[in-house]
Amino acid sequence: MSTFLIFVVASLALVMVPGPNHLYIATRAIAQGRAAGMASAFGVETGTLVHIAAAAAGLSYVVARSAALFNVIKWAGVAYLVYLGIRTLTRGQEPTAREAAPQPLRAIFLEGLVVNVLNPKVILFFLALLPQFVHLEAGSVPLQIAILGGTLLLLGLVCDLIYAVGAGALGTRLRGRSSLLRNFSGIVYLGLGVATALAGRST
């Protein structure tokens, strides 16, 4: 229990610090409203479920130790974020086009899931943090990883939803400035792509 409580404190410190996921969720909420931000938050944390399962199965360790696999995931993530940035910047640019229709929440959810699954930093996070709190004498290692990962997921989801609601309120005030919102969102996606491209790999 003492180890678990320390993990909760460490996780709270991590999830409360603004990071790429928060920036992505806030951008979604500002551009399309609170519901879109919440959908992206649930998508991101569903992606975390994939990382938890991979970590419990030992796949995170394999990927993090394999330069080829790590780079495949890394550059797939970069390509996807750049694609989102270019698509956002070019939407509604045609002179005769009406305001671009809002994306369905299901599409936004899936987009958040893909963004998080293809984030190499999350793989390294699960490799670097969780093993510090896993003890062989405490029982099943996969079960310990699942419990710790699930705790991190819940804490992260609460924090993500706070960002989504706050950014959604800000987006309501800016809703009439569609061109500004579109350019802001596109630049954020491209910036996240660059940040992912520059992400290093621990050895």
Side-chain angles (χ1 to χ4, degrees), residues 48-108:
T48 300
L49 274 177
V50 176
H51 288 292
I52 293 172
L59 295 179
S60 289
Y61 179 85
V62 173
V63 171
R65 292 298 174 183
S66 168
L69 285 176
F70 183 87
N71 284 326
V72 166
I73 293 176
K74 171 180 174 177
W75 290 108
V78 170
Y80 188 65
L81 288 167
V82 170
Y83 159 74
L84 291 179
I86 293 175
R87 186 190 67 180
T88 301
L89 288 171
T90 56
R91 284 181 69 194
Q93 298 253 340
E94 298 83 358
T96 59
R98 293 184 178 180
E99 186 66 25
Q103 271 192 281
L105 295 183
R106 180 174 178 275
I108 294 173

Side-chain angles (χ1 to χ4, degrees), residues 3-8 11 48 52 125-126 129-135 141-155:
T3 299
F4 180 74
L5 291 177
I6 294 173
F7 175 80
V8 169
S11 297
T48 300
I52 293 172
F125 170 80
F126 273 92
L129 179 67
L130 260 66
Q132 308 302 319
F133 298 90
V134 172
H135 301 289
V141 170
L143 178 59
Q144 291 183 62
I145 291 175
I147 292 173
L148 294 173
T151 301
L152 179 66
L153 185 154
L154 291 175
L155 294 174

Side-chain angles (χ1 to χ4, degrees), residues 63 67-81 115 117-121 123-124 192-201:
V63 171
L69 285 176
F70 183 87
N71 284 326
V72 166
I73 293 176
K74 171 180 174 177
W75 290 108
V78 170
Y80 188 65
L81 288 167
V115 166
V117 167
L118 294 179
N119 186 351
K121 290 184 178 180
I123 296 175
L124 295 179
L192 289 175
V194 171
T196 302
L198 297 176
R201 171 176 170 269

